[in-house]
Amino acid sequence: MNDIQTIFQAANPVLNQTPYPMMILNSEGLVVVWNRQAEKTFGYKQEEVIGNSTPFIEKERTNLYKELWQEIIHSTELFQLEPIAVHTKSGEILNIPITFKSFTIDNSRLIFCQFIMASSEQKKIGSFNEFSSIREGLESSFMMLSIDNEGLITYANDLFLKYSNWTPKRIIGKSFWKMFPEQSDGTTIADTIWGELTKGKIWKGEVEKITKDGQSYWVDLTAIPIYTSSQTPSSFITLENNITEKKILQNRLEKIAYIDHETGLMNRYRLEQIVNEMIAENHHFSFVYFSIDQFYSLKELYNNQAEKVLLQEFTQRMKMFFQDSSMARINTNEFVVITPLGEWFIQGFLSYLEQHPIYVNGRVLPLSISGGITKYPDDQVSFTHLMKASHAAIQKVQAEGGGNIVSLSKADHKALHTKSVIEKRLLVALDKKDLKVLYQPQLDLKSGRITTVEALVRWDDEEIGSVPPDILIPIAEETGLINDIGSFMLEQACQQAAEWHKKGIDLKVSINSSVREFQDKNMVKQIRKILEETGCPTELLRIEITEKFALEAEAEASIIQQMKQLQNDGIVFVLDDFGTGYASFRYMQLLPLSQLKIDQAFISSIQYQPKSQKLIQGIIHFGKSLNMRVLAEGVETQEQQDILTEFGCDAIQGFHVSRPIEASEVVKLL
Ligand code: C2E
Ligand code: CA
Ligand code: CA
């Protein structure tokens, strides 16, 4: 019954606008259509009525109408009943005359019922005109077919005949399948539609059809099973709208949007679509990513014309070598081939290129290609990860000078996987503020007191366990999440320092910072805001930067400027891990640094290696000569502490003083 409902859905706006209450019943007396006016008049909503017998005619009287009903169903005449008592939902009884008219849609017998309200009486004839105009409306706006339960066509309307070039005589008895083109695998979309229809389901979609002479056209199709009385549909109808022009336009747009115009290969967007389709169908393939090495210097060495020649010739060779594989250009000098071919074959592309050199101005172009192979589904299982893994493989090749095609090892893929899991979980952690801060005390060697603590991030994830900062921080830097970690740490540390300060404990808090955080031009503003909000005195905050940070900062005026602003506010900058990087005197002059922290690698060998001792002594002198406070980290023994004291080191940090601990533990230590 719902299926007939669907037919009427198209007509619903019209039915709802009729100024009188009306309904359509099926041959069993169940309501198929119940218009808005009927809802208003009788108080029953569509959902209460449709599919049920009319709820408002007195039970005792229904028998009286049985015979009459049969007569109405089988007649083509218009029946007008004397007013009958109709109960509204609110209990009111209305005496209303009703007119009935039977009609057939396909094989279903239906009865149109109009309630004649006093004011709308004069319109009663018009209502039937309106109804037939609905049918006419359907017929004139849709191509329509009726199909019997064996899939043979029993009726086609004029519109259908017009588009499909069939004559009415010829089409009757033809199979429904004949209207559809065959797909490459021999099936047709008709199989899919038929499958749904015979299960009693409605099918809707955009499909390609063919005319009598095999011309293709596109329609927006709704196929509906029709029930007469039995459980299985006795026939089907299809309503179609021609959308060929829209499709042609769409195809053209797709071509424009999905093709790389310089090479004629597909572009990255199309590649993603194709890969996703292949993944959905679980086709196995290799995802091969090529990069033309030193493309930009090639461009400079020759000219723009050469670039064009190179791209076209390279594309040509790729097509010759990989034949039927799908190929895309995804960046100026980067290409992807999707191929079922094996690794050794793919690697053979390099010798193929050597044997078929590209000439520019009569000279062989020195061409070097780096490639990464990632297999679906063995290595990675999504487009993004195939891209990432292949890109990582290329970077590996390029780091070794380029000119090679490799695939990543199992361990590499595992690392990539771990990374992507961490990325995902980190987002959750940041959202839930699941990160935690531990504080590691620094001992001032002159006063013998703990004056500073370093804030260190800790992350214990409920799914992946605890992730140490050495793994977390580089990943966060790569994804940009370091900014969120940074502001979280800053907020926590400042809050903690403020809390201690209020209790009369003035502990300085040192936080670690990445250069990426300072690349954000709002860093100064953000730090000032957090200091203000938490009520943390500015002098209590120290910021540790690494030598890598310093090197990058040196090249970016805005970073140096922000650091200087913060220094003017009273914030102290510490150079962390000193001695492991490229200790450059230039950045030490440029950046507002006031403390040096000697890396733990030097400290661990201090007792046994006289050379280390000399080095540390040198660093300490060097720092002092620049008026810097010098700290040492990684101090694990009393001997180490003694030596550092003797050398004039200002403060130490390490397990010998304390491991990183909770804020509450810090107070106990003081
Ligand atoms: P770091 O800034 O050099 O921090 C000192 C690291 O050495 C800490 O490791 C600490 O637990 C460890 N350590 C301290 N004393 C000793 C010792 O006596 N012996 C030994 N063997 N190790 C000691 P952790 O917490 O795993 O942090 C590792 C690195 O992660 C840090 O090195 C820092 O570069 C980075 N990091 C930690 N928290 C943050 C953060 O909030 N932001 C940023 N950007 N980086 C952070
Ligand atoms: Ca540090
Ligand atoms: Ca350090």
Side-chain angles (χ1 to χ4, degrees):
M1 197 161 58
N2 277 331
D3 317 324
I4 294 173
Q5 191 78 53
T6 312
I7 306 177
F8 284 108
Q9 235 162 36
N12 238 345
V14 182
L15 296 175
N16 277 331
Q17 271 166 28
T18 54
Y20 48 81
M22 55 77 53
M23 62 182 177
I24 294 176
L25 304 176
N26 69 8
S27 56
E28 291 156 63
L30 304 181
V31 179
V32 179
V33 173
W34 182 249
N35 80 346
R36 200 156 291 150
Q37 204 58 39
E39 285 191 330
K40 273 196 206 155
T41 311
F42 304 114
Y44 294 99
K45 291 270 161 221
Q46 280 193 355
E47 18 335 336
E48 296 174 80
V49 175
I50 287 176
N52 298 318
S53 55
T54 49
F56 43 77
I57 296 179
E58 287 175 326
K59 279 268 165 3
E60 315 83 72
R61 302 197 58 171
T62 45
N63 269 345
L64 282 180
Y65 299 127
K66 257 193 182 151
E67 226 169 277
L68 180 64
W69 182 250
Q70 287 307 314
E71 212 181 313
I72 294 173
I73 290 180
H74 293 110
S75 173
T76 52
E77 299 289 302
L78 174 74
F79 280 78
Q80 177 142 17
L81 291 196
E82 288 309 302
I84 60 170
V86 174
H87 292 236
T88 66
K89 195 173 181 182
S90 59
E92 205 182 335
I93 298 176
L94 302 173
N95 278 310
I96 307 179
I98 310 180
T99 56
F100 295 92
K101 170 97 171 68
S102 297
F103 62 97
T104 303
I105 280 197
D106 205 57
N107 290 325
S108 297
R109 198 68 177 154
L110 300 165
I111 297 97
F112 183 91
C113 316
Q114 182 192 352
F115 299 91
I116 314 288
M117 307 304 285
S119 62
S120 64
E121 198 143 1
Q122 68 280 13
K123 288 188 181 166
K124 69 186 176 199
I125 301 301
S127 67
F128 291 104
N129 290 342
E130 255 175 77
F131 178 70
S132 49
S133 63
I134 291 160
R135 218 205 129 101
E136 263 167 39
L138 283 179
E139 290 239 1
S140 65
S141 41
F142 292 104
M143 297 184 260
M144 209 163 145
L145 277 186
S146 298
I147 302 143
D148 71 11
N149 58 7
E150 284 171 18
L152 303 181
I153 292 167
T154 55
Y155 169 78
N157 73 348
D158 288 344
L159 269 183
F160 189 93
L161 297 171
K162 190 176 140 209
Y163 279 117
S164 65
N165 277 344
W166 285 93
T167 58
K169 260 195 198 157
R170 284 293 185 104
I171 198 168
I172 304 301
K174 285 279 171 322
S175 121
F176 161 66
W177 280 263
K178 220 179 153 71
M179 309 293 131
F180 295 87
E182 234 183 51
Q183 288 167 341
S184 53
D185 59 359
T187 62
T188 66
I189 184 78
D191 296 328
T192 317
I193 300 174
W194 190 252
E196 290 297 292
L197 285 177
T198 47
K199 273 186 251 159
K201 290 189 183 150
I202 293 171
W203 191 92
K204 268 172 187 275
E206 294 186 349
V207 293
E208 188 182 8
K209 299 195 70 183
I210 45 170
T211 65
K212 179 163 172 285
D213 359 277
Q215 289 275 352
S216 118
Y217 65 105
W218 281 84
V219 297
D220 186 0
L221 182 146
T222 307
I224 306 155
I226 305 288
Y227 293 86
T228 35
S229 52
S230 60
Q231 290 288 311
T232 51
S234 57
S235 63
F236 312 94
I237 73 167
T238 60
L239 297 173
E240 303 173 351
N241 244 331
N242 194 318
I243 54 163
T244 309
E245 273 178 22
K246 179 184 126 193
K247 268 287 170 192
I248 290 174
L249 187 67
Q250 200 173 321
N251 280 344
R252 200 176 305 141
L253 286 176
E254 266 176 12
K255 277 221 174 98
I256 297 171
Y258 291 133
I259 281 187
D260 172 62
H261 297 284
E262 268 177 293
T263 59
L265 298 173
M266 54 187 169
N267 65 15
R268 188 201 154 102
Y269 304 104
R270 182 70 189 128
L271 175 73
E272 183 166 355
Q273 280 185 341
I274 286 208
V275 168
N276 285 335
E277 279 164 24
M278 291 177 81
I279 289 175
E281 287 162 16
N282 199 25
H283 287 301
H284 293 204
F285 58 87
S286 283
F287 187 99
V288 192
Y289 197 131
F290 289 125
S291 171
I292 300 177
D293 298 332
Q294 272 121 35
F295 185 76
Y296 294 95
S297 34
L298 284 178
K299 256 173 73 176
E300 276 163 27
L301 275 177
Y302 297 85
N303 51 29
N304 278 341
Q305 199 52 35
E307 177 186 340
K308 214 167 165 187
V309 173
L310 168 58
L311 286 174
Q312 277 165 3
E313 293 290 312
F314 179 76
T315 303
Q316 202 50 38
R317 280 156 186 71
M318 219 164 56
K319 281 185 177 166
M320 288 298 288
F321 189 80
F322 290 102
Q323 304 268 338
D324 296 329
S325 308
S326 306
M327 288 162 229
R329 181 180 181 213
I330 58 169
N331 255 325
T332 318
N333 61 328
E334 294 178 325
F335 299 82
V336 167
V337 177
I338 304 296
T339 178
L341 298 164
E343 190 160 331
W344 62 269
F345 184 91
I346 297 166
Q347 284 162 335
F349 184 47
L350 292 185
S351 21
Y352 179 84
L353 285 174
E354 257 169 48
Q355 288 152 20
H356 301 83
I358 296 171
Y359 289 89
V360 173
N361 303 336
R363 277 163 54 200
V364 173
L365 196 86
L367 184 64
S368 161
I369 302 295
S370 297
I373 306 174
T374 311
K375 289 193 244 358
Y376 172 85
D378 309 15
D379 297 334
Q380 299 291 340
V381 293
S382 76
F383 177 75
T384 320
H385 289 116
L386 286 162
M387 283 283 281
K388 276 191 184 166
S390 306
H391 199 249
I394 284 201
Q395 283 179 327
K396 211 168 167 178
V397 173
Q398 283 172 340
E400 287 159 11
N404 200 359
I405 301 175
V406 303
S407 50
L408 292 180
S409 66
K410 282 267 173 271
D412 291 333
H413 281 294
K414 206 170 154 222
L416 274 177
H417 177 72
T418 311
K419 204 166 103 180
S420 77
V421 172
I422 289 178
E423 271 173 42
K424 237 188 267 160
R425 294 300 305 170
L426 182 55
L427 278 170
V428 178
L430 283 165
D431 196 39
K432 295 197 334 199
K433 304 229 163 184
D434 258 358
L435 300 178
K436 201 170 83 166
V437 192
L438 288 189
Y439 297 90
Q440 188 176 33
Q442 286 172 9
L443 182 73
D444 182 88
L445 290 175
K446 288 204 186 79
S447 64
R449 292 173 46 188
I450 289 165
T451 52
T452 309
V453 290
E454 179 178 4
L456 295 161
V457 66
R458 290 295 176 265
W459 177 28
D460 237 329
D461 184 78
E462 54 184 21
E463 267 181 34
I464 54 177
S466 83
V467 181
D470 288 335
I471 292 178
L472 168 65
I473 300 296
I475 293 178
E477 281 177 341
E478 213 175 286
T479 53
L481 291 172
I482 191 68
N483 292 309
D484 303 78
I485 294 184
S487 36
F488 171 82
M489 293 296 290
L490 185 66
E491 219 176 280
Q492 297 286 311
C494 290
Q495 216 160 28
Q496 189 56 60
E499 203 178 293
W500 282 325
H501 177 68
K502 271 185 215 134
K503 289 184 186 156
I505 308 165
D506 267 357
L507 266 178
K508 298 177 186 77
V509 182
S510 199
I511 62 162
N512 293 282
S513 182
S514 280
V515 72
R516 232 184 126 151
E517 293 173 66
F518 271 85
Q519 274 157 349
D520 181 344
K521 307 264 185 312
N522 288 320
M523 191 64 175
V524 172
K525 247 193 233 158
Q526 201 203 343
I527 293 178
R528 285 178 181 162
K529 185 165 159 250
I530 290 179
L531 284 170
E532 197 185 310
E533 279 172 3
T534 54
C536 171
T538 312
E539 326 71 75
L540 293 186
L541 184 62
R542 339 229 97 153
I543 298 177
E544 300 190 10
I545 65 163
T546 59
E547 293 196 299
K548 188 171 143 250
F549 180 127
L551 269 177
E552 285 186 46
E554 189 189 314
E556 284 184 51
S558 72
I559 297 181
I560 302 181
Q561 205 188 340
Q562 295 206 75
M563 288 174 74
K564 287 195 168 144
Q565 280 175 332
L566 291 172
Q567 191 194 35
N568 285 339
D569 286 358
I571 293 170
V572 162
F573 283 94
V574 182
L575 185 60
D576 200 357
D577 300 346
F578 186 77
T580 56
Y582 316 82
S584 137
F585 297 107
R586 213 172 41 172
Y587 69 65
M588 303 205 60
Q589 278 179 319
L590 277 173
L591 302 181
L593 298 164
S594 9
Q595 304 199 5
L596 269 188
K597 206 181 206 185
I598 306 171
D599 191 74
Q600 51 193 41
F602 296 96
I603 311 302
S604 54
S605 50
I606 198 170
Q607 286 134 283
Y608 321 105
Q609 294 187 9
K611 233 186 186 169
S612 290
Q613 293 197 5
K614 285 253 158 63
L615 212 61
I616 288 167
Q617 222 168 356
I619 293 175
I620 294 173
H621 281 146
F622 167 74
K624 301 257 146 164
S625 67
L626 289 175
N627 267 336
M628 293 168 104
R629 210 171 120 84
V630 181
L631 327 172
E633 69 178 330
V635 179
E636 295 182 349
T637 64
Q638 184 61 45
E639 286 103 308
Q640 289 169 346
Q641 179 177 338
D642 293 342
I643 299 173
L644 287 161
T645 313
E646 190 195 318
F647 288 168
C649 186
D650 296 298
I652 57 163
Q653 180 183 343
F655 295 167
H656 180 61
V657 180
S658 163
R659 290 183 175 259
I661 49 180
E662 306 262 350
S664 55
E665 302 285 317
V666 173
V667 184
K668 290 182 202 157
L669 259 187
L670 296 178

